[in-house]
Amino acid sequence: MTGSAVTGSAVTLPVVRPPGPVQLPAVLDQTLDNGVRVLAVRRPGVPVVEMRLRIPALCGQSGEQLGPDAAGRTLLAETILTGTAERDRQRIATDLQSIGGSLAASADADRLALTGSTLSDGLPALLRLVAEVLVSASYPDDEVDGERDRVEQEITIARSQPAVLAREALLGRLHPAHPYGTELPPPGAVTAVTAARMRDMHAGRVSPDRALLTLVGDLDPQEALGLAGDVLASWAGAVGAAGGRVPDVPAYPGGPLVLVNRPGAVQTNIRLGGPALPRSDERYPALQLANIVYGGYFSSRLVNNIREDKGYTYSPRSAIDHAIATSRFTVAADVATEVTAPALLEMCYELGRMALLQVSAEELGAARQYAVGTMALMSATSAGLASVLSVLVGSGLPVDYLREHPAALARVSAEDVLAVGSQVLAPAKLAPVLLGDADRVRAGLEVLGPVEVAAESPATGGRQG
Amino acid sequence: MSGPQTKISSLSYPVERVTLRNGLRVVLAPDKAAPVVGVGVYYDVGFRSEPEGRTGFAHLFEHLMFQGSENVGKARHPQYVQGAGGTFNGSTHPDYTNYFELLPAGALELALFLEADRMRAPRITQENLENQIAVVQEEIRVNVLNRPYGGFPWITLAPVAFHSFPNAHNGYGDFSELEAATLDDAAAFFTTYYAPGNAVLSLAGDLDPDETLRMVERYFGHIPARDVPRRPSFAEPVPADERRGHQHDPLAPTPALAVGYRVPDPLSDLTAYLPVVALSEVLSNGDASRLQRRLVQRDRSVTSVSTYLGTFGDPFDQRDPLLFNLEVYHPAETRSADVLAAIDQELARVADGGLERGELARVQARLVATILREADGVLERTLAFAVFEQQRGRAELVNELPAHILDVTEDAVRAAATGLLAQGRSVLEVTPGPADAGEQA
């Protein structure tokens, strides 16, 4: 028995028993003749199988420098499950229900993703359906017509959310004229997309080359692999799609604080963002810990300062997010209008500390434990493990990353955190974008530096390049 | 495609239970699938129980429970849990307030120490109270005041569907009432509702039951027993006539509509309640569901439609009275009367015509799969054990629910639809624009 009893008033915290080595089940990893890489993992427990399929490079093909095409990829994801050569929308949906299944499509600038699950007996039926969709999705004119109008309305609703507008404004500022500069189609864009365009896009982009299929759950890996090989054999590659790549991401050009005016807002959505390091960079583990110490978890400096000490905000946070061609460090806080400038001051003060001074041994140790522990927690369900594997391997990392990353985190020193902090977390390297009531917050912000006020313009999707 | 006869398995997590001398009920569900443990503490008090004049207090008090306790300084609880590689949170519901952690197995004792310390002696100061009132106000601004459809429909439908203070009031709270909260309020609330006998401790995952029970006894056993408040009835009659509400939302770009129907008591009549759960799946989950087909695919009159049970969409965590909720977003060209008429028609189709061939089996497979997938998560399992133990003394319902779902009959689903049609529903319309824009939209 570890720990110590409560005796009198002197209380010692129970000792935490250190975790054993990472328990990652065996991953069967094989590439089919048509280029699809299959990962299959047996994880007994509940009789369910999780499926993730990633198909890369939705935004451009070899040599092309496509601008934002959020409209095309958004509608493709919304209509890919509305018909195949053999089944209509109803049949697809009822067949999924029959196996206790789910299947959903989503798309961003990097990839199309199909996310599914089934009662374990239904795996053959789920994979046959997925293969049928990949090979013969038909984008019926009538279904595309109906979805186009509906999706347009959904985008209108999404663009009324301040968090969405703030995110769009930040991305537009960081990546002007690049597919990464927006996550939502601009208003009206979806209404111009035709069913014929969907079918062309599917033929050109929905290719097995470098696609990644991940299956985790109550399955036999060899059987699952054989099944995937059989049903996906007829999925052929579109010529040229193999070279599809995301355009290079230009460096963030810098500039003043941008204040997007939202008259009457009772809060200001503060966003900061800038370039980070990819997971494959040897300094990445240090950056991951720097982010955690700064604002990546509840026990961070940012939360303790502007929430638990000052009460400016409910959910301040920072994060590193990764796309294929870039990685970003972002900071977010939604603060009461009247404390906008003081909150930004504290956010930058804490960034400056990360860039100029070493973190304490206690902070570093806690962040390290949190990073290692939450990796294990994320992999502790079939759905979690499937998603983690799909994201990591889909971004080019080896399967062993999950096993080896804890050791890499263990090697990080406070000096490493400072070195990477001065590079990535320095306030001077981050773009500030705020969404709030300019009349009420501008003067305070101008105390801190130059301010450029932009009109709130959902009609053009904020500041697009 | 394999038909509806797809084999459906059940769950068989072992469950042990102990009641400590101070009344604390403890549920243990060991399972070694992953080196992870879940810890959940459920207090049998939610925002239905908060006093008049103190709306939002149950939720504010949840925040205060993270501000330190006799042996745990301010900000230390999160630091200890996260520094051990774990995650944590708390949440406030109509009927309960919970606190939970998901941790590497080796940190179980730490979590027990932390939960016991704040069950015994939270340390709430004036400074922390004021700080957390400000934090909660920002939470309300971000989730309600500064965004379109804020609080729709969970805050805004309640006063249409219910008339008594416990059921109708805003659980997030009124700003002036939050600001009026005092340390005396907190002390009284804690003394009344946070008694060990008013709580359930649920532990699941990679744990040894005997060792764990010794640790539970060591940390929780010495917390003095206190009187356990009798839970009042919050019952209200099912309305015979339709109730209507109208809300103007200056931030909303399109109209929205919520409809609430009363449903059978999930505790006293699970057999009548589960068909309503199945009906919800028949009506609105996925492209095969009836309201999706009718309103989205055929009429193309709405942007989205969803149905769910309970204030926050968990069909199994709320006691009577609760609502079957229907939530619709639609373009301004669509008349809400037409949407309501279509909903009535679709309910009548189920009530009079029954289900399509195979429809019930498909819906059952989906419901069971959803339950199984949720049970795969140690934390989700921990919380489900806790809520069933608290409400019913029956944590095992987690294991039994799939079989109960498969027992639902077509006639029972028809009866559920008839039950919704037979009562006075509650309708809340949201119109974009300021209140003085009138109702011409």
Side-chain angles (χ1 to χ4, degrees):
Chain A
M1 189 89 68
T2 56
S4 67
V6 178
T7 47
S9 60
V11 171
T12 318
L13 213 59
V15 174
V16 174
R17 205 167 63 230
V22 180
Q23 292 180 8
L24 185 64
V27 180
L28 180 65
D29 178 359
Q30 211 156 316
T31 302
L32 305 176
D33 290 342
N34 60 359
V36 181
R37 185 169 174 188
V38 181
L39 306 178
V41 182
R42 174 172 159 73
R43 207 183 153 275
V46 300
V48 170
V49 175
E50 296 287 336
M51 185 214 77
R52 306 287 182 269
L53 177 66
R54 286 170 65 96
I55 300 163
L58 258 194
C59 80
Q61 286 176 256
S62 178
E64 277 184 77
Q65 289 288 310
L66 289 183
D69 185 22
R73 67 179 188 244
T74 299
L75 196 61
L76 183 114
E78 295 284 349
T79 55
I80 191 170
L81 298 173
T82 60
T84 67
E86 289 163 52
R87 294 181 238 208
D88 65 9
R89 186 179 192 173
Q90 282 314 305
R91 185 67 200 283
I92 290 171
T94 53
D95 285 351
L96 275 169
Q97 277 184 325
S98 297
I99 55 173
S102 63
L103 186 61
S106 66
D108 63 22
D110 286 334
R111 89 284 179 274
L112 172 70
L114 291 180
T115 301
S117 66
T118 174
L119 293 168
S120 39
D121 285 0
L123 182 59
L126 177 67
L127 289 179
R128 277 197 297 274
L129 173 62
V130 167
E132 195 179 300
V133 166
L134 295 169
V135 171
S136 73
S138 56
Y139 304 92
D141 290 349
D142 186 50
E143 297 288 2
V144 174
D145 286 348
E147 281 302 298
R148 197 164 40 216
D149 295 340
R150 196 188 63 75
V151 170
E152 186 64 41
Q153 293 153 17
E154 284 201 325
I155 292 164
T156 303
I157 291 172
R159 285 194 178 281
S160 70
Q161 296 289 352
V164 170
L165 294 174
R167 170 95 181 157
E168 284 286 299
L170 177 65
L171 292 176
R173 173 102 194 262
L174 289 176
H175 310 299
H178 188 277
Y180 290 164
T182 179
E183 291 175 335
L184 275 181
V190 165
T191 45
V193 182
T194 63
R197 165 105 194 279
M198 292 290 87
R199 292 188 281 265
D200 286 350
M201 202 168 162
H202 188 104
R205 312 271 174 81
V206 183
S207 159
D209 184 40
R210 293 178 302 145
L212 175 69
L213 174 68
T214 306
L215 299 168
V216 179
D218 181 20
L219 54 79
D220 176 302
Q222 280 296 344
E223 255 178 48
L225 175 69
L227 191 61
D230 290 346
V231 301
L232 293 175
S234 58
W235 186 22
V239 177
R245 63 177 186 84
V246 181
D248 291 339
V249 178
Y252 164 60
L257 182 155
V258 171
L259 171 59
V260 181
N261 190 18
R262 189 165 175 259
V266 296
Q267 276 186 330
T268 303
N269 307 96
I270 303 178
R271 301 292 184 268
L272 301 162
L277 303 168
R279 290 191 189 88
S280 55
D281 193 295
E282 62 178 14
R283 296 162 296 169
Y284 181 70
L287 175 59
Q288 194 187 351
L289 298 184
N291 170 61
I292 291 171
V293 171
Y294 172 71
Y297 69 163
F298 195 93
S299 310
S300 64
R301 293 178 175 186
L302 185 67
V303 174
N304 278 307
N305 182 336
I306 63 174
R307 175 182 152 134
E308 292 299 286
D309 183 47
K310 300 193 179 65
Y312 290 163
T313 178
Y314 170 60
S315 184
R317 62 212 174 267
S318 68
I320 304 163
D321 62 86
H322 303 277
I324 293 293
T326 195
S327 297
R328 284 180 293 261
F329 171 71
T330 58
V331 185
D334 305 328
V335 307
T337 295
E338 52 270 27
V339 297
T340 298
L344 180 62
L345 176 67
E346 297 298 333
M347 293 163 79
C348 292
Y349 162 75
E350 296 293 358
L351 284 167
R353 279 177 68 207
M354 294 299 301
L356 295 169
L357 300 164
Q358 273 190 20
V359 298
S360 72
E362 187 193 7
E363 285 175 302
L364 181 59
R368 195 184 336 259
Q369 275 307 112
Y370 181 74
V372 172
T374 47
M375 241 175 103
L377 300 183
M378 276 189 295
S379 311
T381 61
S382 293
L385 183 58
S387 294
V388 166
L389 277 174
S390 182
V391 166
L392 292 179
V393 177
S395 57
L397 295 163
V399 168
D400 275 347
Y401 182 88
L402 271 176
R403 278 191 194 86
E404 292 164 2
H405 192 56
L409 289 166
R411 288 192 293 270
V412 172
S413 69
E415 290 83 0
D416 297 335
V417 173
L418 178 57
V420 79
S422 66
Q423 187 192 333
V424 176
L425 274 65
K429 302 200 173 176
L430 300 173
V433 176
L434 283 72
L435 180 68
D437 188 335
D439 284 349
R440 294 182 59 198
V441 305
R442 178 178 189 158
L445 292 170
E446 280 174 341
V447 171
L448 303 176
V451 172
E452 179 187 314
V453 177
E456 183 189 10
S457 51
T460 57
R463 263 176 68 101
Q464 297 306 322
Chain B
M1 202 88 194
S2 60
Q5 55 276 68
T6 296
K7 194 181 100 227
I8 295 176
S9 308
S10 204
L11 296 168
S12 54
Y13 295 103
V15 173
E16 298 178 28
R17 58 167 58 71
V18 169
T19 301
L20 304 191
R21 280 184 308 281
N22 56 20
L24 177 67
R25 284 161 289 162
V26 184
V27 181
L28 298 174
D31 177 72
K32 306 265 181 197
V36 167
V37 290
V39 175
V41 181
Y42 275 58
Y43 295 95
D44 202 339
V45 56
F47 54 78
R48 280 207 263 225
S49 297
E50 61 202 6
E52 291 205 55
R54 288 291 180 272
T55 55
F57 195 83
H59 173 237
L60 174 63
F61 192 81
E62 175 223 309
H63 277 244
L64 297 176
M65 285 290 279
F66 288 96
Q67 293 297 304
S69 49
E70 188 171 275
N71 297 296
V72 180
K74 177 174 164 95
R76 299 305 281 181
H77 180 101
Q79 284 171 19
Y80 290 143
V81 173
Q82 295 186 317
T87 59
F88 71 92
N89 213 334
S91 63
T92 309
H93 298 249
D95 290 332
Y96 65 87
T97 306
N98 67 5
Y99 303 84
F100 50 86
E101 293 84 36
L102 179 64
L103 314 110
L108 172 61
E109 185 172 1
L110 171 70
L112 294 175
F113 164 82
L114 293 171
E115 289 298 353
D117 207 55
R118 64 179 167 183
M119 182 182 287
R120 189 170 47 81
R123 196 169 47 194
I124 300 166
T125 66
Q126 185 61 34
E127 188 184 359
N128 291 344
L129 174 65
E130 288 169 14
N131 166 253
Q132 290 304 308
I133 290 170
V135 169
V136 166
Q137 288 177 336
E138 292 316 307
E139 180 178 353
I140 295 169
R141 287 195 174 108
V142 75
N143 287 333
V144 181
L145 303 176
N146 196 45
R147 50 167 290 182
Y149 313 108
F152 170 80
W154 77 272
I155 294 173
T156 45
L157 181 60
V160 182
F162 297 107
H163 289 163
S164 73
F165 171 81
N167 297 321
H169 81 270
N170 172 0
Y172 249 154
D174 176 274
F175 269 34
S176 63
E177 293 185 11
L178 284 168
E179 284 163 3
T182 66
L183 289 178
D184 285 346
D185 293 332
F189 196 80
F190 175 79
T191 303
T192 306
Y193 293 113
Y194 279 62
N198 205 36
V200 165
L201 169 65
S202 173
L203 306 168
D206 185 6
L207 56 86
D208 175 84
D210 294 335
E211 181 194 20
T212 303
L213 278 178
R214 283 196 295 275
M215 292 194 292
V216 167
E217 183 61 48
R218 183 190 313 161
Y219 292 107
F220 290 88
H222 60 93
I223 300 173
R226 295 200 297 280
D227 288 345
V228 176
R230 192 184 59 83
R231 188 178 180 276
S233 165
F234 297 122
E236 282 192 46
V238 176
D241 298 315
E242 182 171 285
R243 295 175 176 175
R244 286 270 180 170
H246 199 156
Q247 178 193 352
H248 295 272
D249 186 341
L251 301 177
T254 69
L257 180 69
V259 187
Y261 300 88
R262 293 283 296 279
V263 295
D265 184 339
L267 268 70
S268 68
D269 198 354
L270 187 63
T271 308
Y273 181 74
L274 288 176
V276 188
V277 178
L279 177 65
S280 179
E281 186 83 12
V282 165
L283 289 177
S284 85
N285 203 330
D287 275 355
S289 63
R290 291 181 173 216
L291 290 176
Q292 293 289 337
R293 273 147 68 180
R294 171 70 189 269
L295 294 171
V296 176
Q297 296 167 32
R298 198 195 92 180
D299 296 355
R300 295 183 179 166
S301 58
V302 310
T303 308
S304 68
V305 54
S306 59
T307 61
Y308 53 92
L309 283 146
T311 302
F312 297 123
D314 181 339
F316 298 112
D317 81 340
Q318 204 163 326
R319 299 180 175 111
D320 185 71
L322 75 165
L323 296 178
F324 176 100
N325 299 280
L326 198 150
E327 193 173 325
V328 170
Y329 297 81
H330 64 87
E333 306 89 80
T334 296
R335 289 174 358 124
S336 59
D338 294 338
V339 176
L340 288 168
I343 290 164
D344 276 346
Q345 284 171 16
E346 292 301 324
L347 282 172
R349 276 185 60 218
V350 175
D352 302 337
L355 301 175
E356 294 167 8
R357 192 159 157 266
E359 190 176 10
L360 179 61
R362 294 197 308 263
V363 161
Q364 287 168 322
R366 273 287 304 152
L367 285 170
V368 170
T370 303
I371 290 167
L372 296 177
R373 290 181 74 206
E374 278 172 11
D376 191 30
V378 171
L379 180 62
E380 289 73 11
R381 222 154 62 220
T382 306
L383 304 186
F385 288 128
V387 77
F388 287 145
E389 188 67 15
Q390 177 161 74
Q391 293 178 350
R392 303 161 184 267
R394 186 101 195 121
E396 293 86 347
L397 191 54
V398 172
N399 293 329
E400 297 157 357
L401 211 43
H404 288 316
I405 298 277
L406 295 176
D407 283 342
V408 170
T409 64
E410 181 181 348
D411 282 349
V413 177
R414 294 176 63 169
T418 304
L420 301 196
L421 285 167
Q423 58 178 286
R425 66 189 170 193
S426 299
V427 178
L428 172 66
E429 288 184 65
V430 176
T431 306
D436 58 4
E439 298 189 11
Q440 63 270 42

